[in-house]
Amino acid sequence: DNQTILDPFAGSGATLLASAIISPSVQTVGVEIATDEVVSRDDIRQDFVSRNLSQPTALLAGDAMDAAVRDKARKSTGGEAFDVILTDPPYGLREAFPGAEGVYDGSAALLELIDAMGQDRREGTPLLKRGGRLVAFYPCRQGQSIIELLPSQERLERAGLQLQDTREQRLNSGLSRWLLSFSCY
């Protein structure tokens, strides 16, 4: 069925691995900002080989917020937009930033991705095909409301996205992650 899946925050490649297990003919592409000393792309490839799975089409070192890296990801599967973007953005240091009161906000990585998708869409090089899906995990701490944390309607419209579904997974007493599914129009 030759679907293409991008994980812009690939880390150890777990979402790419799950995709290859579910659909062996899928073309997967991972982008990870960490260097090979932190996340070994060779080890990720070997994990696929040891399980007798098709290796990712590309494992790119770089920041998915960089337009050139997103372009390289598209080119690795023929230059077209992806059918699915499936990701579990990091909840650690990379997405921490000082807000108005210096508060940690673990949702920044996904918001930045949605903004980058809007930029690509405006430039005529969409990252996600019409009818495609962005499926992402989204952190939510105790006392926060997922409704308040969701990307604004304006932000979603710029990226051509519409929220389809939300599901909560409690990680511990203080943290949940929500599975968010968006469709691209």
Side-chain angles (χ1 to χ4, degrees):
D1 105 315
N2 275 0
Q3 280 201 323
T4 56
I5 296 179
L6 170 67
D7 184 349
F9 307 105
S12 65
T15 58
L16 303 177
L17 189 64
S19 298
I21 289 169
I22 292 167
S23 180
S25 65
V26 72
Q27 293 182 62
T28 59
V29 175
V31 177
E32 177 52 44
I33 197 169
T35 64
D36 276 334
E37 290 78 31
V38 176
V39 174
S40 171
R41 286 152 187 86
D42 288 337
D43 287 350
I44 293 170
R45 286 184 186 91
Q46 185 55 43
D47 198 11
F48 281 78
V49 169
S50 72
R51 297 167 193 267
N52 201 27
L53 296 169
S54 295
Q55 292 187 44
T57 304
L59 292 173
L60 304 174
D63 187 346
M65 301 311 104
D66 181 334
V69 172
R70 293 190 307 276
D71 188 50
K72 194 172 183 180
R74 276 187 294 271
K75 286 179 180 175
S76 70
T77 60
E80 298 296 319
F82 288 87
D83 296 299
V84 176
I85 298 173
L86 175 63
T87 194
D88 188 2
Y91 305 159
L93 296 175
R94 185 169 63 183
E95 64 282 287
F97 65 93
E101 293 93 30
V103 177
Y104 170 80
D105 182 349
S107 61
L110 183 59
L111 297 178
E112 289 175 8
L113 173 63
I114 290 171
D115 289 344
M117 291 173 69
Q119 175 189 340
D120 289 354
R121 186 173 189 235
R122 283 189 305 280
E123 293 175 4
T125 56
L127 195 58
L128 188 60
K129 290 180 181 175
R130 288 183 189 264
R133 293 281 183 171
L134 165 61
V135 180
F137 286 99
Y138 203 75
C140 185
R141 289 185 310 241
Q142 184 178 7
Q144 293 179 312
S145 164
I146 188 62
I147 301 301
E148 295 169 2
L149 293 174
L150 289 173
S152 69
Q153 188 60 39
E154 179 182 328
R155 183 177 247 153
L156 291 174
E157 286 174 4
R158 283 193 303 264
L161 297 172
Q162 181 176 3
L163 182 64
Q164 295 295 311
D165 196 14
T166 62
R167 303 286 174 173
E168 182 180 20
Q169 178 188 26
R170 303 264 317 142
L171 299 176
N172 59 46
S173 62
L175 181 67
S176 290
R177 66 180 184 177
W178 286 76
L179 183 62
L180 306 179
S181 177
F182 302 89
S183 62
C184 183
Y185 58 86

